[in-house]
Amino acid sequence: MEKNKLKINSPKIGIYFNIVAILSFIIALSFILINWSTLPDKVPSHYNLAGEPDKWSDRWFVFVPLMIGIFLWFSLQIVETRPHLHNYSGLTEKNREVLFKNSMLLMNFIKNEMLIYFSFSAINDIYVAKGKGSIVGPWDLLIFSVMIIGTIIIFVVRSVRLKKEVS
């Protein structure tokens, strides 16, 4: 494993995406704090497939999506910065750097998409708790799933193309 280590800087798009995701977290946290005094005692903590709340919890629960999001963000940040530990097929000395960069960028996109999604979920929970309805209704889980799966597909295809270009 040690011989596969390579010092690779984060690409600029990854740094910009980190900033956007952290800003979404800060906005969601601020939104919660601003609305705290007007929140009802119970907030939605689970939704059915129709996007309707089917479980309610104490209002402190609005912080849970943010806690999950920031925990995943920091965890995936650690994974992102260690591309030599990621799983590769067809890794050679020739293609190692481009595949490491691609894998790092994939992890960057996934971690930031997740933080943005969980930040959005916290804001959405406040809207629902206040009786304003869900921002996107039953579509949020589908949108999130398509986004994550789409990102993975794009980066897997990109990895295959990069391997062909380098060899």
Side-chain angles (χ1 to χ4, degrees), residues 89-103:
S89 67
L91 185 67
T92 65
E93 192 64 38
K94 204 177 201 184
N95 66 17
R96 182 172 61 135
E97 184 173 355
V98 294
L99 292 182
F100 278 16
K101 285 180 181 179
N102 188 59
S103 187

Side-chain angles (χ1 to χ4, degrees), residues 57-77:
S57 297
D58 293 332
R59 68 184 186 162
W60 288 98
F61 194 84
V62 294
F63 291 104
V64 169
L66 290 181
M67 290 186 297
I68 293 170
I70 203 70
F71 172 78
L72 289 172
W73 193 89
F74 279 111
S75 298
L76 290 173
Q77 173 66 26

Side-chain angles (χ1 to χ4, degrees), residues 73-159:
W73 193 89
F74 279 111
S75 298
L76 290 173
Q77 173 66 26
I78 293 167
V79 173
E80 176 188 345
T81 59
R82 290 163 177 77
H84 61 284
L85 300 176
H86 303 181
N87 192 14
Y88 302 92
S89 67
L91 185 67
T92 65
E93 192 64 38
K94 204 177 201 184
N95 66 17
R96 182 172 61 135
E97 184 173 355
V98 294
L99 292 182
F100 278 16
K101 285 180 181 179
N102 188 59
S103 187
M104 287 175 69
L105 199 55
L106 167 63
M107 288 291 103
N108 181 277
F109 272 57
I110 296 291
K111 84 172 182 201
N112 287 316
E113 288 170 351
M114 292 179 109
L115 183 57
I116 291 168
Y117 172 75
F118 283 109
S119 297
F120 166 80
S121 292
I123 292 170
N124 189 61
D125 288 346
I126 291 174
Y127 272 87
V128 173
K130 288 184 160 195
K132 296 180 181 178
S134 178
I135 298 170
V136 292
W139 300 105
D140 75 332
L141 185 59
L142 178 64
I143 292 167
F144 174 69
S145 299
V146 168
M147 183 175 58
I148 295 293
I149 292 168
T151 299
I152 292 169
I153 290 169
I154 288 168
F155 277 92
V156 167
V157 168
R158 187 172 185 249
S159 179

Side-chain angles (χ1 to χ4, degrees), residues 38-58:
T38 60
L39 273 180
D41 291 335
K42 297 289 184 186
V43 297
S45 56
H46 189 267
Y47 296 85
N48 62 23
L49 288 177
E52 301 159 344
D54 58 5
K55 186 175 182 203
W56 296 78
S57 297
D58 293 332

